Amino acid sequence: MMSRERVLFVDHTGQIGGAELILLDVVQGRNESSAFLFERGPLAQALAERGLSVITSRWGLGLSTFRRDSSWMKALPLAGGLAAITAELARVARGHDVVYANSQKAFVLSAIANVVARKPLIWHLHDIISPVHFGAMQRRTQVFLANRVAAKVIVPSEAAAAAFIAAGGRRALVEIVPNGLSVEPVPVSRQELRQRLGLPSGPLVGVFSRLAQWKGQHVLVEALAQLPGVHGVIVGDALFGEQDYAAQLKRQVAELGLADRIHFLGHRRDVPLLMQAVDVMVHPSIDPEPFGRTLVEAMLAGVPVIATDAGAAPDILEHGRAGLLVPPGDARALAEALDAVLSEPAILEPQLVYASRRARTHYSLSRMLDSIGLLIRNVRAGAAV
Ligand code: UDP
Ligand code: GLC
């Protein structure tokens, strides 16, 4: 029998966003594998705790906050660093059977390194390739490299697959593996949880995403301005250089006079508990969401979901059967939906039962791990023949 694969997992960030939470599950039990990160941060420690040897490049600092609108002044000094990381990556990749890039920046550099390393390369693409998030040059480079160098491109949803193909990506490369989660609700009443967590006892809604313009927290704030008496918790922080948006959001809340009703809780590690404590989980992304782990987390927690009708959300929520959908960026529609759910919560009971069952059958962790495990094995076997 073939030995367990030695995989080199590559990520550009040291922070832990949704894509990195998936990575932390994928690496479980792979003690013979390693991780290569472009910067320091909590991800390195979390990977090491799972038994991987972690290499943090000393060249890549600052890459995770480098965006398509960053100036060339910032880009130029980076170029030398990128060449150095690529060389380092090629050297490390040689000692592995498969390279697994978990972000687009990781993929681009792994693909270039692969010219020398020549290892089968998997790209786990957690993004929707579109002009909203990627410049034309970035999109062309990613797709060009994927078509030529990637052995497989894993995406979490039909929406992410469609965007990759629309950008010119080869259909045959794509494997849709829905994200999987395993969270069990705790057997405590909502009110008791609120007391324990120090949350208000009246109508309470929550949003649980990192703070970023496209995640649309400002739309929820606008909607709450139209719903006197309703409190909101905004959980999450700016993880990837979106500090200006975070500051703007706090100004918006102050200017609308909502500081006593909207509570910023920052980044939390107890999201499932907090989620179980609210009356409604809102997912207000204004751009199409590639997947949205928080949707499934809410379904598992037995909490009603209101999400924007774009990206993977309509699929996950089965076009309204497992949660409510509103148009993206429409605060009035969101306020109306919130009002409806908060005033007659009992109506949603059957939907909650359905949603929780759907989350367990379609988005289970074991299913995701089996699919990705098989894919890694096949990619390695394919390279060996
Ligand atoms: N999350 C967290 N703490 C926070 C905010 C979010 O642990 O303060 C988690 C959240 O529970 C979810 C993940 O971060 O599991 C975000 O993943 P998602 O797919 O929803 O969005 P992403 O941020 O990856 O775009
Ligand atoms: C990305 C996407 C999010 C997805 C996560 C895991 O961060 O923004 O929608 O759930 O990756 O695939």
Side-chain angles (χ1 to χ4, degrees):
M1 197 178 115
M2 225 180 212
S3 63
R4 193 83 197 263
E5 312 82 17
R6 286 166 306 164
V7 183
L8 179 63
F9 294 97
V10 188
D11 209 321
H12 72 286
T13 184
Q15 296 301 322
I16 305 182
E20 290 68 39
L21 289 168
I22 297 292
L23 178 67
L24 288 172
D25 282 331
V26 170
V27 303
Q28 293 277 11
R30 294 187 171 274
N31 298 16
E32 59 296 284
S33 293
S34 328
F36 186 101
L37 306 180
F38 299 174
E39 62 176 19
R40 284 190 285 272
L43 181 60
Q45 196 191 332
L47 286 163
E49 280 164 10
R50 281 159 183 75
L52 273 75
S53 43
V54 182
I55 302 135
T56 305
S57 171
R58 53 198 188 95
W59 302 103
L61 295 177
L63 199 60
S64 73
T65 55
F66 185 78
R67 294 197 299 272
R68 53 175 294 214
D69 55 352
S70 297
S71 73
W72 281 104
M73 290 291 279
K74 201 173 160 194
L76 280 177
L78 264 180
L82 292 184
I85 299 182
T86 312
E88 205 178 355
L89 197 46
R91 195 160 16 85
V92 177
R94 283 209 193 107
H96 295 80
D97 304 312
V98 174
V99 178
Y100 187 109
N102 196 56
S103 67
Q104 67 83 23
K105 287 168 185 153
F107 170 69
V108 169
L109 296 201
S110 302
I112 297 169
N114 210 44
V115 173
V116 180
R118 311 192 72 79
K119 297 291 174 183
L121 173 59
I122 295 174
W123 181 12
H124 199 155
L125 167 57
H126 294 276
D127 300 298
I128 289 206
I129 296 191
S130 85
V132 176
H133 298 290
F134 302 100
M137 178 70 171
Q138 259 177 312
R139 278 179 283 144
R140 268 202 299 275
T141 310
Q142 290 168 24
V143 170
F144 174 86
L145 290 171
N147 286 345
R148 271 154 194 81
V149 186
K152 275 289 168 207
V153 177
I154 303 176
V155 289
S157 61
E158 295 274 358
F164 174 74
I165 293 163
R170 275 200 289 130
R171 191 181 293 268
L173 286 177
V174 179
E175 290 287 338
I176 301 177
V177 179
N179 286 334
L181 289 100
S182 125
V183 198
E184 282 304 319
V186 292
V188 183
S189 78
R190 199 164 278 168
Q191 286 313 326
E192 200 182 323
L193 257 185
R194 293 230 191 137
Q195 260 177 11
R196 219 198 266 175
L197 295 163
L199 298 173
S201 56
L204 181 65
V205 310
V207 59
F208 301 85
S209 297
R210 60 195 161 85
L211 305 183
Q213 169 83 23
W214 74 275
K215 290 287 187 182
Q217 283 93 348
H218 57 286
V219 184
L220 174 62
V221 171
E222 247 182 83
L224 285 177
Q226 300 169 34
L227 296 169
V230 178
H231 284 247
V233 285
I234 298 186
V235 177
D237 205 347
L239 284 190
F240 302 117
E242 308 269 3
Q243 278 77 9
D244 288 353
Y245 178 71
Q248 187 187 314
L249 205 57
K250 287 175 186 156
R251 265 200 312 277
Q252 182 194 12
V253 167
E255 279 164 17
L256 289 169
L258 299 174
D260 56 336
R261 287 205 279 128
I262 298 189
H263 317 279
F264 287 92
L265 303 190
H267 182 84
R268 297 280 294 237
R269 303 187 71 157
D270 55 350
V271 165
L273 267 192
L274 286 162
M275 214 179 251
Q276 222 188 302
V278 300
D279 296 304
V280 190
M281 197 289 286
V282 178
H283 186 83
S285 301
I286 56 173
D287 294 325
E289 183 74 41
F291 185 83
R293 285 170 50 98
T294 53
L295 295 170
V296 177
E297 285 164 348
M299 288 158 84
L300 290 170
V303 173
V305 180
I306 303 178
T308 44
D309 194 2
D315 243 11
I316 295 173
L317 300 176
E318 218 184 316
H319 300 277
R321 227 179 135 189
L324 303 183
L325 292 163
V326 292
D330 188 339
R332 180 185 289 261
L334 178 57
E336 279 167 13
L338 279 169
D339 191 39
V341 174
L342 290 168
S343 41
E344 280 198 83
I347 287 186
L348 286 182
E349 279 304 323
Q351 186 175 85
L352 298 184
V353 174
Y354 182 78
S356 140
R357 206 172 335 119
R358 178 169 168 75
R360 276 162 231 279
T361 51
H362 288 63
Y363 306 109
S364 80
L365 179 60
S366 59
R367 197 171 147 154
M368 176 184 84
L369 294 181
D370 286 351
S371 304
I372 294 182
L374 185 64
L375 230 132
I376 294 177
R377 219 172 310 138
N378 287 343
V379 159
R380 182 202 178 178
V385 284

